[in-house]
Amino acid sequence: MRLVSIVGARPQFVKLAPVARAAAAAGHEHLIVHTGQHYDHAMSEAFFTELDIPTPDVQLDHGGGTHGQQTGTMLAALDPVLTDADPDWVLVYGDTNSTLAGTLSATKLHRRVAHIEAGLRSHNRRMPEEANRVLVDHAADLLLAPTPVAMAHLAAEGLTARSVLVGDVMVDSLEHTRERVGERAPAELADLALPRGGYYLATIHRAESTDDPARLAAVLTALAALPLPVVLPVHPRLHERAGAAGLRLDAGSLRPVPPLGYGAMVAAVVGSAGVVTDSGGLQKEAFLLRVPCTTVRTETEWVETVDLGWNVLVEPGPDLARAVGRAVPAPTAAAPYGTVGAAGRVIAAVEAAG
Ligand code: UD1
């Protein structure tokens, strides 16, 4: 079978890595198309190298711009790529503009689309990611859901017949990397000389957090006031928006660092006293690594982390410090994101669909 994966943004490279291994192990031809949505070395190429992902067969160049410009130029560029590649299945990942463009191009060209990480919902229609994932789920032919909650969302939208519960491919990536990284402290943070358990790790990059200067100021002020150093890997969007709003990323407890690679990020989470984030993936990684997470958002797609007590949603302000300082929850053996092997189940589900 000939498969084409379309990726473009950092979290998609993490999901692609185990799927590329599983596709190769099953003997399928697998082409990788990179839209260019993320283009800095640290946001893109470094992940391909570290996670041993084959170099993209096609590299496009469509980062930046408004949502419409970005999605539209990717869409136009993908048409000839998919026509030439003539795939049996197109694999798309998550909820970014690259996911939407890939889905639209493939659907219009009558290529079958499998959506990895289908069925997630924040129920917040103002998030660009929510619009992307809803549209993609309704266009795709095969919906590969990570959790029973995601399956229930798909059922509620009348999509059960196309849905398969495969588990979460990020579990595969995390376990693979955790073995490689072990308990080492990340070399990238050596200059900060932080003791194990003596710092918090924070990431802020979503449009809802960064694009309103008042909200961004409130988030940064709350982080800067935390009682331990706060390691802050700085996403390009945060750098850009904080700069434009005249906000400092090194005030108080804040310790800004360049974006981290995947292994360094896993090691930084493991060594931290807690994670504060607006990222989706990091909430789940913190849970899988059993590090308490505080999420600066009004809702989450990963409700299991909250239900199990390992994640708390807060508004920036005094609540944030209270949530971050809470006691570590009781241990749990719960595995809501499934077991290792989701990428193999992705490939098996695509094969079964013919
Ligand atoms: C995108 C995804 C988001 C995901 C995030 C992970 C959408 C709608 N959003 O958001 O769901 O959580 O990726 O990081 O697709 N930039 C650079 N260098 C880069 C990448 C981006 O300078 O390597 C700049 C862009 O030019 C742009 C800004 O950062 O000005 C935001 O990038 P963009 O790709 O539009 O969205 P993200 O915020 O990264």
Side-chain angles (χ1 to χ4, degrees):
M1 210 179 282
R2 186 179 306 131
L3 309 174
V4 168
S5 280
I6 299 176
V7 291
R10 185 171 60 176
Q12 295 170 325
F13 312 143
V14 175
K15 293 164 198 164
L16 169 64
V19 173
R21 278 197 299 276
H28 297 301
E29 193 183 345
H30 181 215
L31 302 177
I32 297 175
V33 178
H34 189 316
T35 62
Q37 180 171 348
H38 285 178
Y39 46 87
D40 288 356
H41 177 85
M43 298 290 291
S44 178
E45 201 183 327
F47 280 73
F48 279 77
T49 308
E50 179 184 346
L51 300 177
D52 222 4
I53 306 169
T55 304
D57 298 277
V58 177
Q59 177 69 59
L60 304 174
D61 178 20
H62 297 292
T66 65
H67 285 275
Q69 285 164 342
Q70 194 179 69
T71 311
T73 53
M74 285 176 192
L75 177 56
L78 284 167
D79 279 356
V81 170
L82 291 181
T83 302
D84 282 355
D86 193 21
D88 297 299
W89 281 93
V90 174
L91 310 182
V92 296
Y93 301 75
D95 54 22
T96 74
N97 291 340
S98 298
T99 318
L100 179 61
T103 302
L104 289 176
S105 174
T107 303
K108 295 276 189 175
L109 292 168
H110 310 298
R111 299 294 148 181
R112 286 179 299 171
V113 178
H115 183 204
I116 293 158
E117 209 179 73
L120 292 194
R121 296 291 181 266
S122 67
H123 306 292
N124 175 357
R125 297 284 299 215
R126 292 189 59 83
M127 286 176 67
E129 293 83 2
E130 182 75 356
N132 289 342
R133 53 172 93 98
V134 170
L135 293 168
V136 168
D137 280 341
H138 283 262
D141 301 274
L142 184 58
L143 306 178
L144 302 170
T147 63
V149 171
M151 287 294 282
H153 291 146
L154 295 170
E157 294 174 29
L159 298 171
T160 297
R162 292 187 253 157
S163 306
V164 180
L165 178 62
V166 291
D168 196 323
V169 294
M170 281 181 69
V171 171
D172 292 8
S173 268
L174 188 65
E175 289 307 322
H176 198 255
T177 296
R178 184 164 26 183
E179 280 166 25
R180 178 166 59 82
V181 170
E183 297 287 296
R184 75 167 176 92
E188 290 81 348
L189 303 185
D191 287 354
L192 296 175
L194 298 168
R196 200 179 160 84
Y199 65 91
Y200 298 116
L201 180 77
T203 74
I204 295 295
H205 77 277
R206 276 186 190 276
E208 312 97 88
S209 309
T210 56
D211 291 8
D212 170 7
R215 183 163 179 98
L216 180 56
V219 172
L220 292 174
T221 303
L223 290 175
L226 290 177
L228 294 177
V230 177
V231 175
L232 180 70
V234 179
H235 184 284
R237 176 190 281 279
L238 174 63
H239 179 77
E240 195 180 290
R241 298 297 197 272
L247 299 169
R248 290 181 53 177
L249 297 176
D250 61 354
S253 299
L254 293 176
R255 305 286 185 274
V257 295
L260 297 176
Y262 189 64
M265 192 66 171
V266 169
V269 171
V270 169
S272 75
V275 166
V276 186
T277 193
D278 64 355
S279 152
L282 193 53
Q283 294 171 49
K284 197 173 49 187
E285 285 159 353
F287 168 74
L288 293 168
L289 295 166
R290 296 302 190 268
V291 172
C293 184
T294 302
T295 298
V296 194
R297 283 179 52 193
T298 47
E299 72 287 307
T300 180
E301 299 80 7
W302 304 109
V303 290
E304 302 84 1
T305 61
V306 175
D307 294 345
L308 290 164
W310 285 81
N311 189 12
V312 170
L313 306 181
V314 292
E315 281 296 287
D319 286 354
L320 190 136
R322 270 196 292 277
V324 170
R326 73 192 188 274
V328 177
T332 173
Y337 304 111
T339 51
V340 169
R345 293 189 287 275
V346 163
I347 298 300
V350 170
E351 287 168 349

